[in-house]
Every structure is written in structure tokens, then in C-alpha cells.
Amino acid sequence: MEQGLLHLYWGDGKGKTTAAMGLALRALGSGKRVVIVQFLKGGNSGEIPLLAQLGAEIYRGKAGQKFVFQMTPEEKAATRELQNQNLAAAMAQPADLLILDEAGSAEELDMVDVDLLKKAVLERPAECECVLTAHTPPQWMLDAADYSTEMKCHRHPYQKGIKARKGIEY
Amino acid sequence: MEQGLLHLYWGDGKGKTTAAMGLALRALGSGKRVVIVQFLKGGNSGEIPLLAQLGAEIYRGKAGQKFVFQMTPEEKAATRELQNQNLAAAMAQPADLLILDEAGSAEELDMVDVDLLKKAVLERPAECECVLTAHTPPQWMLDAADYSTEMKCHRHPYQKGIKARKGIEY
């Protein structure tokens, strides 16, 4: 049995989620079973329906459309509970590749149970490859990663006031 | 008409091609026309058949399976000509998103006509979004990019002698 490795894409540059989803596509193209959790993301990102159509199991969504800092304590608790449920459901699926998108932000914003997240990553089945994305990763992610790639933003058009565009940023 | 922007993914980290292909997937999911040139790549990367199946126009391949530094002058010339033909054919296709994967290495290894490459990137139709990947980008790419993301390798399993694996590295 091949040992599954841990990938961490982190930093402030564009491309973390896109690289993770590109890897999902590559794995699907090689007949692998892919399970994806997108923390704190709902909405209408272009790649999600295609990955689902190609056979990926995808868990996503949040309660409401607010940013975490805008939520009432009750909304925060409900959102956190939804993220935990999504993660637990994903962990129950057989996977050759498990992608936990925005795992770093979920931890940073206290929107996931950290013990459950660590269990999902560090106690996954030995053959399961795992991918995490994070803006500012906690130290345990940096320590555990077999691949650690920092995506460093040198230039981004939001610096010129250009807004996120469908099919490019989402 | 929306202005198409230029993305540059560069550096020594894993994720440049995967991010570009993830963006292709996202764009396809939003109904965009996607054209891809992979310079100096043939082989059997998992995501390519799926992207083709989803409607991307893909130009790739090289003459033989040697690295450029192993080629005879005749093989180099044939390979360069094939890359130029692929690029010219791609430029003739209508595209909302044009991806030139390994454009930096193609230029660095003198495996593409630089004037043709610059024309493809800098004189593309105004609404065409364009993505370049490069290990060490030439200055004109850094200057022209609207998005410039450096993928910096902090850790990679080849440092521990683990070889490239199907569905993960290709």
C-alpha cells in the first residue's frame, strides 16, 4: 500500500484553492476517489459542479451569507456546527484524496473543532493523500506537511480596484 | 467588453500547473472557451483527458521523450518547431482563457520563438484572459502580469527520495 502524503498550500497569493481543485481533477483523471470539504464556502464557484459531475464527493456550505465577524454568537455556533458535520461526513467516506479547503481559516476563525480537524488530517487512513489550504497555517500544519508550498502574492488586480470575476476568482 | 488579465504562476514550488488547470476547470464551469498549450509536455497527466472531455482545446506534445539537454541539434530544432506550431494553432482558436503552461521554460530552453510567444501573450484579443507558468520567468512576464504569484517550495517529498506519483504529480 502506498503511503498517502500531506500537501499544504498556504500564503496570500492567488492559486491555493485552484491548485487543490486542479489536483482533485488530476486524481479523478487517474481513477482515484476524491472527497472535498470547503470550509466557510457556499456560493457558486465554477469548478464545483464539474468536479461533482466527475465523481468527487463535495461537502460545503455555511449558514447564511455573512462573514464570520458579522455573525451573532448563535450564527457562529450554527456555522461551526455545520462545518463540523461536513468534516465528519467527509471523514466517513472512503477517499484516495481528501481535500480540506480553507482548513487554516476554519481553525483561525474557530469555525471547526480543532481536535476533529487534526484527527481528519493526522489520523487519516495510511493510503489517503490529503491537501490543506491556509492563509496563515497553524504550526501543526507546517510541521506535518510533506509538501509545503507558499503562494506569495507579488501582484494582484484587486490592488488596482478590480473586483472578483466569475470563472476566474470563483 | 471585459478586459482579460494576465496571470503568472512562477517559482520552485509544486502547484503552478495544477493551479493553471484548476483555473481551466473553473472557467469551463462558467461556460468559457479554454485553450491550453503545454510546452515540452507529452505523457499521460491525469487531468488532460478530463479537460478535453469538458471542452478545452489542448495542444501538447514534444518530439520524443528526451529532455532538451539530451537532444541532438536536429531533435532540438524539430521540438522547437513543434512547440511553435502548437502555439500558432492555439492562437488561431477563439478563447476566453488561454493557458501557456511552462511558457517560461520553453523560452529559457530556446524551445519557442520568443517573438511569437510575446505576440500570443501581449497582443492577444483584449477580452482574453491569459495564464503563464514559469520556473524562473523572464522579466517581460513579470512586468506584464496583472497577477503574479510565486510558488515557493518550503518542503517537497523528492527531498526524501519519493518519486513522482500518478494522479498526484502527473
Side-chain angles (χ1 to χ4, degrees):
Chain A
M1 189 189 298
E2 204 168 78
Q3 179 68 38
L5 301 180
L6 181 63
H7 305 234
L8 177 61
Y9 292 122
W10 59 281
D12 61 357
K14 175 167 166 50
K16 299 183 291 290
T17 296
T18 351
M21 298 307 147
L23 197 55
L25 182 70
R26 179 176 292 170
L28 288 165
S30 297
K32 294 182 187 287
R33 297 166 301 182
V34 175
V35 176
I36 301 170
V37 181
Q38 285 202 307
F39 289 108
L40 298 171
K41 284 184 177 170
N44 201 9
S45 202
E47 69 276 20
I48 294 298
L50 293 184
L51 289 171
Q53 178 189 315
L54 294 167
E57 293 282 340
I58 304 172
Y59 299 86
R60 61 201 305 264
K62 54 178 178 179
Q65 294 303 314
K66 292 180 181 177
F67 291 108
V68 171
F69 71 88
Q70 299 169 316
M71 292 178 185
T72 65
E74 292 72 24
E75 288 169 335
K76 275 187 190 172
T79 301
R80 191 175 196 277
E81 182 52 31
L82 177 62
Q83 309 310 313
N84 285 338
Q85 283 172 10
N86 281 346
L87 180 55
M91 288 163 72
Q93 293 283 337
D96 302 305
L97 175 64
L98 173 65
I99 295 179
L100 304 178
D101 187 32
E102 303 280 13
S105 296
E107 175 166 336
E108 199 178 354
L109 296 168
D110 191 27
M111 283 293 121
V112 70
D113 182 297
V114 177
D115 288 339
L116 185 67
L117 182 60
K118 283 187 177 170
K119 190 174 155 71
V121 175
L122 303 177
E123 298 173 31
R124 69 190 190 277
E127 72 282 9
C128 180
E129 196 89 5
C130 183
V131 178
L132 306 174
T133 71
H135 189 279
T136 311
Q139 192 59 45
W140 71 266
M141 290 184 187
L142 289 163
D143 290 342
D146 299 293
Y147 299 81
S148 173
T149 304
E150 181 184 0
M151 308 228 172
K152 195 168 159 45
C153 182
H154 290 266
R155 205 181 277 172
H156 194 291
Y158 73 68
Q159 297 161 337
K160 292 190 279 186
I162 295 173
K163 293 205 174 113
R165 295 161 302 146
K166 174 74 180 161
I168 304 295
E169 271 83 14
Y170 64 93
Chain B
M1 191 190 295
E2 203 169 77
Q3 179 69 38
L5 301 180
L6 181 63
H7 305 234
L8 176 62
Y9 292 121
W10 59 280
D12 60 359
K14 173 166 167 51
K16 300 182 291 290
T17 295
T18 353
M21 298 308 147
L23 197 56
L25 182 70
R26 179 175 292 169
L28 288 165
S30 298
K32 293 182 188 287
R33 296 167 301 183
V34 175
V35 176
I36 300 170
V37 181
Q38 285 201 308
F39 289 108
L40 299 172
K41 285 183 178 171
N44 202 10
S45 202
E47 69 277 20
I48 294 297
L50 293 183
L51 288 170
Q53 177 188 318
L54 294 167
E57 293 282 340
I58 303 172
Y59 299 86
R60 60 202 304 266
K62 54 180 177 178
Q65 294 302 315
K66 293 181 182 178
F67 291 108
V68 172
F69 72 86
Q70 300 169 316
M71 292 177 185
T72 65
E74 293 72 24
E75 288 168 333
K76 277 189 190 170
T79 301
R80 191 176 197 277
E81 182 52 30
L82 176 61
Q83 310 309 314
N84 286 337
Q85 283 171 10
N86 281 348
L87 180 56
M91 289 163 72
Q93 293 283 336
D96 302 305
L97 175 64
L98 173 66
I99 295 178
L100 305 177
D101 187 32
E102 303 280 13
S105 296
E107 175 166 336
E108 199 178 352
L109 296 168
D110 192 27
M111 283 293 122
V112 69
D113 182 299
V114 177
D115 287 339
L116 186 66
L117 181 60
K118 284 187 176 170
K119 189 174 156 72
V121 175
L122 304 176
E123 298 173 32
R124 69 190 190 278
E127 71 283 8
C128 180
E129 196 89 5
C130 183
V131 178
L132 306 174
T133 71
H135 190 278
T136 312
Q139 192 61 44
W140 70 266
M141 291 184 187
L142 288 164
D143 290 342
D146 298 294
Y147 299 81
S148 173
T149 304
E150 181 186 359
M151 306 223 171
K152 196 167 159 46
C153 181
H154 290 266
R155 206 181 278 173
H156 194 291
Y158 73 69
Q159 296 160 339
K160 292 191 281 188
I162 295 174
K163 294 203 172 116
R165 294 161 302 146
K166 174 75 180 160
I168 304 295
E169 271 84 15
Y170 65 93

